[in-house]
Amino acid sequence: MLVLYIILVAIAFLSFCSRKYIVFLICYLGLMTKLFLLDTSEVITFRGEDICVFLNFALLPIAIFRNNKILDWNNGRIWKWVYVYIAFILLEFVLTVITGADSFLYSLKVVRVPLMMVGYFLLVSIPLKDYEKFLRILFAITIIQTFLFFLQYLGINLLADALTNESNSDILGIDVKMNIPTFAFFFIFYALKARSLQERSKILLFTVMMLIVFLTYARGWILSIILGLAYYIVKLGNKKRKLILLFSLILLIPISTIFIGKKTSEQGGVSTSGDLIGVFSNINNLSNVDEGNGTFSFRITMLTERVLYLA
């Protein structure tokens, strides 16, 4: 399997150099996602993102040579935010090493994933027509992943990372799987905007991808979807569609709360509201918060602690 990954790195590099961008995107995203979750060998111990960071810096000079405008600060707001983010990460890395807060190797280990953002400049250098063709391939891959994801509930594990979320297991007699299709979130919002899909296909795609996310009972994921849909509703121009989506969103919130609350309470834990109450009732002494029921309490506690520190 290691040989396969080495071959994919070589193909990704050569395909970008020869402007075979669709091949490059398949290899690049495949390396990042354990071959789109199809590598179940568990032989590879390194992170795919590390390989992609290497490719980002190796291919960046080539992308700049072809079109130096991809680095132009005035390209738009997104470019500026990308520059600010990368500058912040690099500054944090340098200061951490200089002040001796952590070793060089440990700091490099932490900073390597945020440096994936450098790949933004590679991606914007790829023509739109190649993305349109690649999107069809990505859609087919997602359909295959979706089929294999649901097979897991029949005891057939053909996807990588087929681990049960221990804190979410035994809900309604089934185990919760967290290895959802790699681009499930993307296709949730793609279904709302795609012009190439019929209305029925959009509804089906949106419903299936939403169901997959809800089956994880991951509160952070569900909350991010709700916030994303809320933003989409605000941006809608059609009043009728806005009202329909707003009504759907209103229904979505209590349904997700019921599911999430049932998950934790059946295991002797607390509901989402219980987690929030536990944090804010101990706001003067956050060390008293019980974080043993999952990561949600920990994250809310950490966020509250940082806000209070900055205040």
Side-chain angles (χ1 to χ4, degrees):
M1 190 58 68
L2 178 60
V3 175
L4 176 59
Y5 276 87
I6 294 174
I7 293 174
L8 285 176
V9 172
I11 293 175
F13 184 87
L14 294 174
S15 59
F16 188 89
C17 293
S18 59
R19 301 178 189 268
K20 304 294 183 182
Y21 294 121
I22 296 177
V23 177
F24 166 74
L25 289 170
I26 293 173
C27 294
Y28 187 83
L29 295 180
L31 288 167
M32 194 188 303
T33 59
K34 286 191 174 181
L35 307 184
F36 297 100
L37 296 179
L38 298 178
D39 176 17
T40 59
S41 64
E42 301 295 338
V43 173
I44 304 302
T45 56
F46 55 80
R47 294 171 62 98
E49 292 93 334
D50 296 343
I51 303 176
C52 292
V53 169
F54 164 76
L55 283 173
N56 289 343
F57 285 98
L59 293 172
L60 185 60
I62 298 174
I64 296 173
F65 177 77
R66 289 176 179 169
N67 182 11
N68 58 10
K69 291 183 179 180
I70 63 173
L71 296 180
D72 191 344
W73 171 268
N74 296 317
N75 277 334
R77 185 182 302 175
I78 295 179
W79 263 262
K80 294 177 181 178
W81 278 113
V82 170
Y83 271 120
V84 170
Y85 179 79
I86 293 175
F88 174 79
I89 293 299
L90 292 176
L91 179 62
E92 181 185 34
F93 170 71
V94 172
L95 290 178
T96 300
V97 175
I98 291 178
T99 58
D102 277 305
S103 66
F104 174 82
L105 289 178
Y106 182 82
S107 301
L108 185 63
K109 180 180 178 181
V110 173
V111 78
R112 73 191 195 283
V113 175
L115 283 179
M116 277 294 299
M117 186 61 74
V118 175
Y120 174 80
F121 299 109
L122 297 184
L123 299 179
V124 296
S125 70
I126 298 175
L128 182 59
K129 63 179 182 179
D130 290 304
Y131 278 113
E132 292 173 346
K133 296 177 181 178
F134 174 69
L135 192 58
R136 300 189 189 100
I137 299 174
L138 189 62
F139 182 75
I141 292 173
T142 302
I143 294 300
I144 294 172
Q145 287 181 321
T146 300
F147 177 72
L148 296 178
F149 175 81
F150 284 113
L151 280 183
Q152 293 178 125
Y153 291 96
L154 299 177
I156 305 174
N157 296 321
L158 298 176
L159 287 178
D161 299 329
L163 301 175
T164 299
N165 185 335
E166 297 296 336
S167 64
N168 295 351
S169 60
D170 296 324
I171 305 171
L172 302 179
I174 61 175
D175 290 332
V176 174
K177 303 296 183 181
M178 305 299 292
N179 54 345
I180 65 175
T182 313
F183 291 91
F185 286 88
F186 169 79
F187 279 106
I188 285 175
F189 294 98
Y190 175 77
L192 297 175
K193 298 288 290 183
R195 297 179 180 178
S196 58
L197 295 178
Q198 296 180 352
E199 202 65 30
R200 291 182 180 179
S201 299
K202 290 181 181 180
I203 294 173
L204 179 60
L205 178 61
F206 178 83
T207 303
V208 172
M209 292 298 114
M210 285 289 290
L211 175 62
I212 287 174
V213 174
F214 269 81
L215 283 174
T216 66
Y217 293 86
R219 290 175 281 190
W221 289 357
I222 294 172
L223 180 61
S224 67
I225 290 295
I226 292 175
L227 293 176
L229 288 175
Y231 177 79
Y232 177 74
I233 291 171
V234 171
K235 290 294 183 178
L236 274 179
N238 188 306
K239 186 176 181 180
K240 183 178 179 181
R241 291 180 64 193
K242 186 180 295 188
L243 290 174
I244 293 174
L245 280 173
L246 182 59
F247 178 73
S248 301
L249 187 60
I250 292 173
L251 289 178
L252 189 65
I253 295 174
I255 290 174
S256 63
T257 304
I258 291 171
F259 271 50
I260 296 166
K262 187 170 185 178
K263 175 204 69 170
T264 51
S265 63
E266 284 185 350
Q267 298 170 60
V270 293
S271 63
T272 301
S273 57
D275 282 335
L276 294 173
I277 292 172
V279 171
F280 293 112
S281 63
N282 292 281
I283 199 164
N284 293 324
N285 189 0
L286 293 174
S287 60
N288 291 334
V289 178
D290 181 11
E291 299 170 1
N293 294 316
T295 60
F296 187 76
S297 296
F298 168 75
R299 290 171 181 170
I300 293 298
T301 304
M302 183 173 64
L303 176 62
T304 305
E305 189 175 41
R306 288 178 176 178
V307 171
L308 292 175
Y309 176 78
L310 292 175

